[in-house]
Amino acid sequence: MGGTGKSRPPHVKRIGAAGIGAGLLALPVYAAANVLFETAILRDNSNSLLEQKWMKQLMGRLDEVFSKRAKAQEGERGLGFDSFTDVVETGKQWFWAQEKERIVMKSHDGLRLAAYYLPPKEQSDKVLILMHGYRNDGFGDFSGLVRFYHEMGYHLLVPHQRSHGESEGRYICFGVKERHDLKQWTEYIVKRMKGRCKVFLSGISMGGATVLMAAGLDLPKQVKGIIADCAFTSPWDIFSSVMDLNFHVPKTPVLQVADIISRKRAGFAFKECSTLDCMRENRIPVLFIHGGTDTFVPTQMSYRNYETCTAPKELLIVERAAHATSNMVAPEIYRDKVIGFMEKYGNED
């Protein structure tokens, strides 16, 4: 005779199989989300799957197959950083040759942050805080502008954003935490100049998002204007855009899972702060700038920021510029626009 135990009803077996299947499907989703987190947010991402040589080659081939932009002619793609290597190198060399001061401060959450301060040759109350972009530094992103700004009589404060360069940090937070660091740098320079200054916040790419997000904080009254060059609207939006353009993988549910990982490990959510939300409440004048052929941070994001902004605002689109190259593609137009903006709002009470 057989045992006395009863067999499981058929529906229980089906539920068990469905649960196993769902678990198996969840594994690649979590793996993809973790790769996104480690590649984009982790400061040291050298061990990430996407940083492996074979994976880069594979993604390059996929991009050639799926991306129409990859098939476009060079002139249609616009002028990127590769077209201005001499300008970038010359600007970097000039900045490092100057007599500047290295400054260190503690962030609100205990990180050691570094910046370089370069005063003008003559007495001035004009200040520019230059916030660089993702995995770059101010000497690279602003290489076509630092000497010009200095010769125009501006005090230059060039921070290394957290998790970049000489600043501490394990996670890059795409402006969400960096906005608080920028507020501290602003308070530092105002205190250093005993309140007698006119401060402008200028950012490129992720730095552009940082300066716009900082507008949602209680900044010192000495902040007279913001210059946001090719800023994205939120971490969620830029991750979504890059996934569509470069990786050809479904955003749902990968992005949602990556957001959960980020909340747990890096302490910030992808939708925690949006430039659009900050612009709806902003009262500081803003100059929005973007390259007309930017595909990394779509030009449409600056249009959205501009349309949402409730403060006095101006917009410059440099048609042939790709990502973060507007100041090199059209230097005279760019400089005239920026200086005009700063002179206009720097002279207002």
Side-chain angles (χ1 to χ4, degrees), residues 119-134:
K121 293 181 179 180
E122 299 180 359
Q123 187 173 356
S124 170
D125 63 354
K126 302 182 295 186
V127 180
L128 264 168
I129 302 180
L130 306 178
M131 302 301 288
H132 67 78
Y134 180 70

Side-chain angles (χ1 to χ4, degrees), residues 5 24 29 55 59 74 81 87 124 130 141 155 166 171 196 226-227 299-300 303 310 314 342:
L24 291 174
V29 169
M55 179 57 80
M59 293 308 298
E74 180 63 30
F81 258 84
V87 174
S124 170
L130 306 178
D141 275 343
H155 296 258
E166 298 172 27
Y171 305 108
R196 296 189 291 271
I226 294 171
I227 303 159
T299 311
Q300 185 60 31
Y303 281 117
T310 55
E314 297 180 19
M342 292 192 291

Side-chain angles (χ1 to χ4, degrees), residues 212 225-228 279 282 284-288 309 311-314 341:
L212 292 180
I226 294 171
I227 303 159
M279 289 299 95
N282 178 43
I284 302 171
V286 185
L287 170 58
F288 298 93
C309 181
K313 56 191 176 181
E314 297 180 19
F341 173 81

Side-chain angles (χ1 to χ4, degrees), residues 12 17 33 39 48 87 96 102 109 117 134 146 178 188 193 222 225-226 238 251 258-259 265 302 327:
V12 174
T39 301
S48 169
V87 174
W96 284 113
R102 186 177 184 271
D109 52 355
Y117 168 64
Y134 180 70
V146 282
E178 290 84 352
Y188 163 82
M193 299 187 71
Q222 288 83 358
I226 294 171
I238 191 59
K251 296 187 293 291
D259 181 49
R265 294 179 60 184
S302 275
N327 71 84

Side-chain angles (χ1 to χ4, degrees), residues 57-238:
Q57 292 173 342
L58 175 60
M59 293 308 298
R61 289 196 292 269
L62 287 174
D63 195 54
E64 290 176 3
V65 172
F66 292 105
S67 177
K68 293 180 180 179
R69 294 180 178 87
K71 297 178 182 178
Q73 296 180 355
E74 180 63 30
E76 295 173 350
R77 286 205 303 266
L79 299 171
F81 258 84
D82 291 346
S83 302
F84 301 98
T85 53
D86 291 344
V87 174
V88 172
E89 190 58 34
T90 299
K92 286 182 177 181
Q93 290 178 2
W94 178 88
F95 189 87
W96 284 113
Q98 306 308 303
E99 292 185 11
K100 55 199 173 300
E101 178 184 350
R102 186 177 184 271
I103 302 164
V104 175
M105 75 171 185
K106 283 282 187 181
S107 70
H108 68 283
D109 52 355
L111 296 179
R112 193 166 179 265
L113 303 178
Y116 283 89
Y117 168 64
L118 178 62
K121 293 181 179 180
E122 299 180 359
Q123 187 173 356
S124 170
D125 63 354
K126 302 182 295 186
V127 180
L128 264 168
I129 302 180
L130 306 178
M131 302 301 288
H132 67 78
Y134 180 70
R135 298 196 187 277
N136 207 331
D137 56 43
F139 326 123
D141 275 343
F142 289 92
S143 55
L145 292 166
V146 282
R147 184 172 185 173
F148 170 73
Y149 286 149
H150 183 256
E151 292 176 350
M152 290 297 296
Y154 283 84
H155 296 258
L156 301 183
L157 183 63
V158 189
H160 289 273
Q161 296 221 55
R162 61 171 55 211
S163 304
H164 288 79
E166 298 172 27
S167 291
E168 290 182 341
R170 190 178 182 190
Y171 305 108
I172 301 170
C173 303
F174 288 79
V176 175
K177 292 188 178 182
E178 290 84 352
R179 59 186 167 139
H180 298 286
D181 303 336
L182 174 54
K183 180 185 177 184
Q184 284 186 239
W185 285 120
T186 304
E187 293 169 341
Y188 163 82
I189 199 66
V190 169
K191 183 178 180 180
R192 177 169 180 149
M193 299 187 71
K194 299 179 180 179
R196 296 189 291 271
C197 56
K198 302 167 183 176
V199 181
F200 288 86
L201 312 179
S202 180
I204 294 179
S205 191
M206 189 185 83
T210 299
V211 298
L212 292 180
M213 290 179 182
L217 304 175
D218 185 19
L219 296 175
K221 64 181 181 180
Q222 288 83 358
V223 176
K224 301 299 182 182
I226 294 171
I227 303 159
D229 187 339
C230 59
F232 53 77
T233 47
S234 71
W236 181 278
D237 290 344
I238 191 59

